[in-house]
């Protein structure tokens, strides 16, 4: 798994789910580094969020391969609504009641003009549905992988669901690679 390259909004510490943000110079360098690391890894299917930071990361990683990258809106991250584009401190100062409610019920609280964490993460990708190894590049914080044993997802992630019952919380830095055993959810490196 990889997370998309850094953006200026990452550097500022902003919450931005649906806001389109381009890769910074460092983000471009991170994607080029990932391209080098993944050059020997083959994928049967490449899917990315249509948002610029994820799609451009996929383009850079795959630029010397003759494979199509499929844009899929289901890979878009949570809509942070009124929190969108703000830092945590700005949210504290502007929307303290809403922030308290979100902190109390993180996964189910629907941010005004946005969505809850639970509402946002409904994507299921399975190698039994598509066939083969999948490279998913996204700005989402969760990827639900159902009935997969040999799937290689590459995504923006914070939380990854393995099968329907198992949950793994993974916090990654921009451009970071995490290798998971998809059958057990064990982090391998």
């Amino acid at each position: 798994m990889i997370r998309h390259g850094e953006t200026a909004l990452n550097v500022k510490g902003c919450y931005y789910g649906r806001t389109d943000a381009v890769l910074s110079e460092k983000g471009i360098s991170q994607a080029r580094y990932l391209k080098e690391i993944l050059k020997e890894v083959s994928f049967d299917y490449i899917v990315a969020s249509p948002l610029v930071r994820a799609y451009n990361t996929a383009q850079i990683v795959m630029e010397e391969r003759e494979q199509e990258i499929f844009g899929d809106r289901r890979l878009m991250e949570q809509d942070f609504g009124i929190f969108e584009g703000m830092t945590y401190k700005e949210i504290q100062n502007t929307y303290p009641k809403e922030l308290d409610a979100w902190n109390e019920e993180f996964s189910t609280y629907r941010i005004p003009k946005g969505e809850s964490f639970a509402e946002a993460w409904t994507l299921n990708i399975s190698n039994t549905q598509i066939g083969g190894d999948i490279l998913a590049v996204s700005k989402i914080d969760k990827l639900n992988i159902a009935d997969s044993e040999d799937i290689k997802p590459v995504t923006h992630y914070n939380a990854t669901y393995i099968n329907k019952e198992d949950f793994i919380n993974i916090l990654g830095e921009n451009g970071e690679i995490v290798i998971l055993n998809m059958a057990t959810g064990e982090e391998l490196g």
Side-chain angles (χ1 to χ4, degrees):
M1 301 182 81
I2 65 169
R3 184 177 176 189
H4 68 75
E6 177 191 86
T7 72
L9 291 175
N10 288 127
V11 174
K12 291 178 183 178
C14 294
Y15 287 82
Y16 68 110
R18 300 292 170 93
T19 300
D20 230 348
V22 298
L23 296 174
S24 65
E25 286 300 316
K26 182 177 178 181
I28 293 168
S29 295
Q30 289 169 329
R32 288 184 179 139
Y33 175 73
L34 294 170
K35 172 186 165 184
E36 183 63 26
I37 289 175
L38 294 171
K39 69 182 178 186
E40 301 298 323
V41 180
S42 64
F43 300 98
D44 299 310
Y45 186 77
I46 299 118
V47 61
S49 163
L51 292 171
V52 171
R53 62 188 172 273
Y55 202 86
N56 284 356
T57 299
Q59 288 176 316
I60 292 168
V61 170
M62 302 305 291
E63 69 187 354
E64 294 176 12
R65 302 183 193 206
E66 294 184 19
Q67 287 183 272
E68 184 177 357
I69 299 168
F70 297 93
D72 191 328
R73 294 186 54 79
R74 295 175 300 168
L75 288 172
M76 293 172 69
E77 189 182 355
Q78 177 180 3
D79 184 343
F80 287 104
I82 61 173
F83 299 166
E84 192 81 20
M86 300 175 82
T87 65
Y88 192 82
K89 187 165 188 77
E90 291 169 332
I91 296 167
Q92 280 179 315
N93 293 334
T94 310
Y95 301 109
K97 290 179 184 175
E98 292 85 349
L99 181 60
D100 286 344
W102 188 45
N103 285 331
E104 284 182 33
E105 298 293 332
F106 174 75
S107 58
T108 58
Y109 176 73
R110 179 181 254 205
I111 300 168
K113 298 185 181 179
E115 60 192 343
S116 72
F117 185 80
E119 289 171 320
W121 314 130
T122 59
L123 176 67
N124 289 285
I125 295 179
S126 169
N127 62 351
T128 58
Q129 295 169 326
I130 296 171
D133 294 336
I134 300 168
L135 170 67
V137 181
S138 168
K139 63 176 289 309
I140 64 171
D141 285 347
K142 177 204 84 178
L143 184 61
N144 186 4
I145 302 170
D147 306 319
S148 302
E149 291 182 10
D150 191 26
I151 212 169
K152 299 179 183 98
V154 179
T155 181
H156 168 141
Y157 58 86
N158 284 334
T160 302
Y161 289 84
I162 307 299
N163 296 320
K164 292 177 183 161
E165 298 81 20
D166 300 326
F167 174 76
I168 298 173
N169 191 28
I170 301 169
L171 297 174
E173 299 296 324
N174 293 102
E176 181 179 65
I177 294 177
V178 174
I179 303 168
L180 296 175
N181 177 323
M182 299 311 290
T184 65
E186 177 186 2
E187 188 173 333
L188 303 175

